[in-house]
Amino acid sequence: MQEVLSNTGDSNAPLAAQEFYELCLEDSDDIWKGRHIVRQAHARWDQMACRIVWENIETEYARTLEEAKQRYEARRASLVKQGFRYSDMDLF
């Protein structure tokens, strides 16, 4: 599962005013760390580079799918509280 949360619902807003967080829930090949991965990455416009940059990539391992889903939802709820309430999942 992959979801992108943004701080604006206006697709015409300037890139400099937009920020994004990508949340992913994936299977892991490293069973010693956990069978599932919850990954969060922040994206923002970099004026100097004139492009979107990805930073602050955080990865958590979970032993069970249920635990991974709980961690995903906790991260999602935290981002929504920070103002990142527009999801690309809402488009479908």
Side-chain angles (χ1 to χ4, degrees), residues 40-89:
Q40 174 180 311
H42 179 246
R44 65 173 179 77
W45 180 256
D46 185 322
Q47 191 66 36
M48 297 286 287
C50 294
R51 64 182 179 95
I52 292 178
V53 294
W54 291 90
E55 56 194 10
N56 301 331
I57 299 169
E58 299 175 18
T59 303
E60 280 185 81
Y61 289 86
R63 296 204 179 278
T64 66
L65 181 57
E66 187 59 37
E67 181 186 346
K69 286 179 179 179
Q70 289 173 357
R71 294 304 311 140
Y72 181 97
E73 288 304 323
R75 284 180 175 269
R76 188 181 192 288
S78 175
L79 291 171
V80 168
K81 283 183 182 178
Q82 294 175 49
F84 295 89
R85 62 181 187 267
Y86 301 100
S87 169
D88 65 338
M89 300 290 277

